């Protein structure tokens, strides 16, 4: 009788263990960086991500990719935006210039020149479009549309001002900044 109880108990433990293994969520691997991101970052990893909303409307999801040195203002990184809706490229440029002004980046003359250049290069986007910006500390910024080269702006001051829209402590999107920098430490 005791032997049967012990056998039954062992079988129940085995079944419980199998059930727990089936019910346990699978460990998810860190997402692999797209090729256009890996080409700019050594040891590319996703530092953080989050949505940007405006008056309750989701505009885009942002991802910050960093290299093995993590997020540092003097190291390359990639900020990629996946748009949740159709937007006019000129409006994207104007909103970017407005945010640069709000954080005090550049002079009025610089911002006017930057706005003109952004109007030239930022395309109209639709739901699902991705614009990735690569911060190149001494060279400026390189942009990609859906993983394909879009344009380069060879102006380090522009690059610092542009990416400050999301990463400067004075950003108007503080919650998104926190989400982007969540895992931005060196590896």
């Amino acid at each position: 009788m005791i032997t049967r109880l012990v056998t039954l108990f062992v079988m129940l433990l085995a079944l419980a263990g199998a059930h727990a293994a089936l019910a346990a969520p699978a460990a998810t691997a860190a997402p692999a960086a797209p090729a256009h991101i890996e080409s700019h970052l050594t040891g590319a990893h996703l530092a953080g991500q989050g949505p940007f909303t405006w008056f309750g409307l989701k505009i885009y999801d942002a991802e910050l990719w960093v290299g093995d040195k993590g997020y540092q203002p003097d190291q390359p990184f990639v900020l990629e935006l996946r748009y949740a809706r159709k937007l006019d490229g000129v409006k994207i440029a104007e909103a970017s210039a407005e945010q640069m002004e709000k954080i005090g980046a550049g002079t009025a003359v610089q911002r006017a020149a930057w706005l003109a250049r952004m109007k030239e290069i930022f395309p109209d986007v639709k739901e699902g479009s991705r614009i990735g910006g690569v911060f190149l500390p001494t060279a400026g910024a390189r942009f990609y549309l859906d993983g394909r080269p879009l344009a380069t702006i060879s102006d380090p001051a522009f690059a610092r001002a542009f990416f400050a829209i999301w990463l400067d402590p004075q950003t108007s999107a503080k919650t998104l900044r926190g989400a982007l920098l969540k895992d931005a430490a060196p590896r």
Side-chain angles (χ1 to χ4, degrees):
M1 177 77 168
I2 293 179
T3 306
R4 284 186 191 167
L5 286 174
V6 169
T7 303
L8 183 58
F9 181 70
V10 169
M11 287 174 50
L12 287 173
L13 283 177
L15 285 172
H19 176 69
L22 290 174
T28 55
H36 69 282
I37 293 174
E38 281 189 349
S39 69
H40 292 284
L41 303 173
T42 303
H45 67 276
L46 184 62
Q49 58 190 342
F52 176 76
T53 58
W54 186 70
F55 289 106
L57 294 174
K58 186 174 180 180
I59 307 300
Y60 56 76
D61 287 306
E63 296 178 342
L64 178 64
W65 294 85
V66 297
D68 52 11
K69 293 183 181 179
Y71 172 72
Q72 297 178 25
D74 63 343
Q75 293 295 314
F77 58 80
V78 178
L79 181 72
E80 187 158 88
L81 307 180
R82 188 178 62 249
Y83 286 88
R85 59 190 58 256
K86 181 180 173 181
L87 291 172
D88 181 79
V90 170
K91 297 288 185 197
I92 294 170
E94 290 170 347
S96 297
E98 181 182 307
Q99 290 302 312
M100 289 177 185
E101 183 176 8
K102 282 185 179 181
I103 60 174
T107 65
V109 171
Q110 284 176 308
R111 287 191 304 273
W114 296 339
L115 174 59
R117 184 69 174 120
M118 288 187 291
K119 284 180 175 180
E120 290 173 3
I121 67 168
F122 288 164
D124 296 344
V125 296
K126 62 184 189 241
E127 182 179 346
S129 294
R130 294 180 337 238
I131 295 181
V134 182
F135 176 71
L136 302 167
T138 59
R142 185 165 298 140
F143 294 96
Y144 291 83
L145 175 62
D146 296 326
R148 294 182 308 279
L150 180 62
T152 298
I153 298 180
S154 300
D155 180 350
F158 164 81
R160 284 189 301 278
F162 181 78
F163 292 106
I165 293 170
W166 296 271
L167 299 171
D168 188 272
Q170 300 304 315
T171 182
S172 60
K174 293 185 187 322
T175 302
L176 178 55
R177 179 183 186 269
L180 291 173
L181 296 173
K182 182 180 175 204
D183 284 323
R187 295 227 163 153

